[in-house]
Amino acid sequence: MLGFERYGNGIARGMAVTLRNMFRRTITTQYPEERLNVSRRVRGNILGWSSEKCIGCYTCARSCPHGCIEITTSSRGARGPVAAPCNQACPAHVNAARYIRLIREGKPDEAVAVVREKIPFPSVCAYICAHPCESSCTRGQLDEPIAIRMLKRYAVDNDTGLWKQRSRVAPPSGKKIAIVGSGPAGLSAGYYLSKLGGHSVTVFEALPEPGGMMLVGIPAYRLPRHILAADIKEIEQAGVTIETNVQIDAPESLLEQGYNAVLLAVGAHEAIGIGVPGDDEPGVLGGVDFLRQVNLGRRVELGNRVAVIGGGNTAMDSARTAVRLGAGEVTIVYRRTRAEMPASAEEIEDALAEGIKIVFLAAPSGVTSKEGQLLLECLRMKLGPEDSSGRRRPEPIEGSQYTMPLDNIIAAISQRPVVPASFAVDTDKSNRIQVEKETLTTGKKAIFAAGDAVLGPATVIEAIASGRQAAISIDKYLGGSGDIDETLASAEEIADRASGPSEDWRPGVAAIPLGGRLDGFDGVELGWSRESAVFETERCLRCDITYNVEKYRLNGGLCIYCGLCVEYCPFDALYMSYEYEHGWYRFGQRLLEQEQLLVPDKVKPSGYAHPEIEETLPQQTLLIDRD
Amino acid sequence: MTAAGTISQASALASDWPGNFWLHLLVFALIILAFVILTVIILIWLERRLLGRIQVRPGPNRAGPFGLLQPIADVVKILTKEDTVPGWGDRLVFWLAPLVAFVPVLLVFAVVPFWNGALLADLNIGILYVLAVSSVASVGIFMTGWASGNKYSLIGAMRDIAQLISYEIPMMLSLAAVVLVAGSLSLNEIVAAQDVPYILLQPMGFTIFFIAALAEANRTPFDLVEADSEIVAGFNIEYSGMKFAILYLMEYSEVVFIAAIATSLFLGGWRGPFLPPFLWFVIKMFAVFFVLIWIRGTLPRLRIDQVMAFAWKFLLPLALINLVVTGAQVVFWPQAPYWSLVPINVTLLAALLLLWARFFRLGGSRVGI
């Protein structure tokens, strides 16, 4: 029977299957009748547009290389369903889109009030924020993101202090809070706890001046000291007491002194060494150590030839500071390429403009000292596959060593927090204080931690956001409501949009001339005039405002179905498929019974031609007007 | 069994209908031409529709109601194609080959009875004529392969010859058994002799005939001649335009021919109750079409070595046994009643199939062609 089973059984079963298939309902997507009007060139493509999702931001029209999307919107807008990408990207959720509109309306003081609703350091952020908002700006997909930081700078430069009139001060709660560290995280937390929680806040600072990394990590040419001092003064006016030159060794002792809660915001101030033999030679400095010495006004002896190891903002700051201290030949050594550099683009530009050389794809492999000069031995690198951070991992090239004779080496690779053992809190292997993510509580009662001490080396805005989070958490811990939001700006009235966003590029930013720059630590960047600021605000696509789209047309004769508009649309309002039938099918799936679309053997077109369901379909356009 | 139905004989069409010998030839030649071409068109449509249904899709449904005009559209398309002849081919043979392939298939229908006596020529050597003439079509196919000057088309043609020679033998033996039972070589006589369709009396013969006919007509699973995945398109690779259309017509005419012969020899031809005889003939033919299409929609293509082994190791011995058994039945038990003969023969078929399925093994020595 074996043979018969092998052949006969298989054949019989196959015949049964095919016979059964003959009586099954056929599954075939039909070409809709509209196909007959579709030009031969574009047959197989479909571009759909959903009026429900479109907010009239013009991104698609601007992105089209052929200019074949024609869009007309109403001038009246309303709050859209989602926050703008800039708002979402900001760790502290500052509503950038809104203050850009206020600047456009000529109300910089209102704009500052909007910023103040979320952060107590508007001026500091206006000067040195790492602006994740600009990185996510919708306009950035098209040409250049809106210069949000520069607009904020224009606003704070023209502030009249309007926000103070609406400022809310909570009644005293009688609770005392100690904050260790006067950086952005500590001061932000202190500000909100004092002003909106009504607590009595004391900030302890080990250094002689408050400000933390804003003071000792960021050179004065980027953040002029009077700007920082003004922001800190506002915080002090809100009731925060700052005690400098006080080193706290044990947070428990503060609790014993009568404080109800302690926040550890000690920052990340210890430079990580190069990690090669000889990195403890005299003349090898840590990046943040070097900056701290300089920023506290202490004297640092630098030779003529300085190498800075690393590619972050600390490396740029160290290099540019070294130039200002008189080093004639400053070289940045970075093991990857410019595309992978974590430093912000304008920092790199400025560094290059100030005559700093950057050696890419080189990593130090050893430091030796000889006749009073340092020899930095470097290895050439090549880029390998991507690592977990999405950047290509550098791989050393064997036998490519070369040496650089130097006077000083500044290791600006990374930083880590200094957490004394006497704090007795849990830390991880990079010395970060371990906290519960939501509440920022350490393992010990009434002791919280925030800022770089928790995050590792991060940005000012992230530290502020962390400080806000700590303030909420501590307020709740002390029996408060945890509500630290306040309304400082007047209720929003969305002004009519005169026209779509302008098609210009960013206006340039004035800076002090190169010659005058290198002699001192004056602020390099100059602010914008009213004209420049308004010019820039007109570029904003207003992607958090919904405008009623009156007309949306695709010129099918010009369209090459490249799909750029679909890529750029931030709201998924456009849909494209190269498979015409499947395009209809996918749109239909949401709205139609699947069976309705799959009518076999009928001359009727797909469900889209059924008038009875046409009402339920999204307005969409498939306009093909010439063959 | 040998007593042919006298009632049907009585209503037989006169051999010179409609009155004149030459007129008879002319009328029947036209009828055959129209019948074959019309049936081929319907068959092509039916095949595409049924294959569609088998594959759970509608099949052609745009040209005309139910896509009925699709074959017409295809013909128009084919006729407007550029008619090319390969420069390195044999030009004369290339032109001649489609005709040489098509005409014999058409000739076969001269002896196929549409109803009693309604045939071009009631030859007393009908089956012999059918086998002889239908084989000539392979000469035409070989000519296409040769004249194209293309290795793929030559391989396809060679496969056709190999297949034809192999399957002709079991086919002839199975038909010989039918002849033994019917006692005549004339197709009309054989149909008239079928008080019981010979598919019941000769189940083994029908099985062998049907399989061999599939192979002769190059139908799936024996369509190695045009195996796209192996030899691109086989013998007709260089053909286009009208010449391709004729080859296409030839292929489907062969299917019609198989169906007509199977109907006449095994399914009782034009015989049947109530309906007019011609309608019975057509209904039975379309039943055979259906099975052919069904098989095409189900079975995968065989390898050339499997095809050869199947003919020589499986069909030939069974056909020989069948001939011997049938001969013995005719000689020693001529008056056997149907109710005993039919179960005996069906049981014999099942037993032999099972037995041979156990004997039959593929592999070992593969034939490469």
Side-chain angles (χ1 to χ4, degrees), chain A residues 14-15 18 21 24 27-28 30, chain B residues 53-54 56 58 62 294 298:
Chain A
M15 300 289 274
T18 47
N21 278 358
R24 273 176 62 183
I27 306 167
T28 296
Q30 284 184 303
Chain B
R53 297 300 305 203
I54 284 171
V56 206
R62 288 286 154 172
W294 185 14
T298 310

Side-chain angles (χ1 to χ4, degrees), chain B residues 135-205:
Chain B
S135 305
V136 178
S138 285
V139 177
I141 290 181
F142 190 73
M143 282 165 71
T144 63
W146 168 256
S148 297
N150 182 313
K151 61 188 169 195
Y152 294 120
S153 67
L154 192 61
I155 291 172
M158 295 288 277
R159 284 181 173 189
D160 182 67
I161 300 290
Q163 214 166 291
L164 182 96
I165 291 170
S166 307
Y167 281 84
E168 196 87 316
I169 295 163
M171 188 176 179
M172 258 191 255
L173 291 174
S174 67
L175 292 186
V178 171
V179 171
L180 277 182
V181 177
S184 168
L185 281 166
S186 155
L187 264 73
N188 201 38
E189 295 281 314
I190 292 172
V191 174
Q194 289 184 59
D195 292 334
V196 162
Y198 282 172
I199 188 173
L200 298 174
L201 283 181
Q202 280 291 321
M204 176 67 82

